[in-house]
Amino acid sequence: MRTNRRTEVFQLIIILCMFAASAVLWTRAPVRMPVHWNLAGEPDRYAGKVEGLLLMPFMALLSYGLLLLLPRIDPNRIAYDAFAHAYQVIRVALVAFFAALHAMLLLVAFGYPVNVSLVVPLGIGILFCLLGHFMGTFRPNWFVGVRTPWTLSSETSWNKTHRLAGWLFMVTGFAMFLLAVLHNAWTLAIVLGLVALMVIGLPVYSYFVWRDDPQRKTNPTMRT
């Protein structure tokens, strides 16, 4: 899969700025920094400077490097050309998400008021909606998407499962938006229920579609 130089440079600049901000603020940052919050937006875990200032930059760097590497080592790497735009958007969105979390951690650590219970669910909701929007464009590969023995051995199962996954991701994204506004136990239960439905329901659905596909394969190989 070909990459866009501007997109790569943009992501690297974001990551570099994250590390630079941590370096500049290292000596002035508090010894204990909040790194986790409960549903009400109250900090319930603190950590030292290493975790507080470096976790998100390293997560962004790991995300960038891993998602850049996967298409290069995928035996079905040619499939990524069919959803290259979606893949690039998702990569940038993940780096931007970690950068936003890093900015939030720094602001909170230095005493600026941040509504964490609003910011975090909104960010996660946006990621879910992006994934849901692009899920139907994914083509069979070894690393990205709903990869079960049945989606990998039936093009029909792959396509139908990813269309359903797209809708479920979108609905879960909107549920996260509700959680950002309401932040109560009932909304959280809905979000967790939707996530459980995706984790359990999508593989089961992929099996039944595979079972009814007359062109399914019993010895899976990739097809684009």
Side-chain angles (χ1 to χ4, degrees):
M1 183 187 74
R2 294 183 178 179
T3 57
N4 184 293
R5 180 175 298 179
R6 291 182 180 178
T7 302
E8 302 307 314
V9 170
F10 177 67
Q11 293 177 84
L12 290 172
I13 289 175
I14 292 177
I15 295 170
L16 180 61
C17 288
M18 294 171 69
F19 279 105
S22 295
V24 170
L25 298 173
W26 188 275
T27 57
R28 289 181 285 167
V31 176
R32 297 178 68 248
M33 300 175 57
V35 294
H36 192 272
W37 290 260
N38 59 27
L39 190 60
E42 301 166 340
D44 57 10
R45 189 172 79 83
Y46 291 80
K49 291 184 180 183
V50 173
E51 181 178 347
L53 294 175
L54 295 180
L55 177 61
M56 290 301 120
F58 274 111
M59 289 294 291
L61 183 60
L62 177 63
S63 170
Y64 171 81
L66 182 62
L67 293 181
L68 182 64
L69 175 65
L70 291 183
R72 302 174 186 270
I73 64 175
D74 195 321
N76 200 43
R77 61 180 63 89
I78 193 173
Y80 289 79
D81 292 335
F83 60 99
H85 173 69
Y87 194 72
Q88 294 283 21
V89 171
I90 291 169
R91 288 180 60 218
V92 173
L94 279 174
V95 171
F97 176 70
F98 287 123
L101 290 182
H102 188 54
M104 181 193 73
L105 287 172
L106 294 179
L107 289 171
V108 172
F110 283 89
Y112 291 93
V114 178
N115 190 342
V116 176
S117 61
L118 175 67
V119 173
V120 174
L122 279 179
I124 297 174
I126 291 172
L127 283 180
F128 268 85
C129 286
L130 272 176
L131 285 168
H133 176 71
F134 289 116
M135 190 72 69
T137 68
F138 293 174
R139 305 306 305 145
N141 67 90
W142 288 97
F143 295 117
V144 181
V146 184
R147 300 165 315 285
T148 69
W150 308 291
T151 57
L152 296 179
S153 56
S154 164
E155 189 170 357
T156 299
S157 179
W158 178 280
N159 291 336
K160 288 188 175 182
T161 299
H162 281 78
R163 283 198 293 268
L164 176 60
W167 282 105
L168 288 175
F169 269 82
M170 291 287 286
V171 171
T172 304
F174 285 112
M176 291 298 301
F177 296 155
L178 286 178
L179 181 62
V181 176
L182 302 176
H183 48 83
N184 57 41
W186 287 105
T187 314
L188 178 61
I190 292 173
V191 170
L192 295 178
L194 287 167
V195 172
L197 178 62
M198 288 190 289
V199 171
I200 300 172
L202 287 174
V204 172
Y205 176 77
S206 74
Y207 165 74
F208 282 108
V209 176
W210 171 86
R211 187 192 64 178
D212 296 333
D213 180 10
Q215 297 182 335
R216 69 183 184 272
K217 292 181 287 185
T218 55
N219 184 18
T221 57
M222 285 292 172
R223 64 172 67 177
T224 56

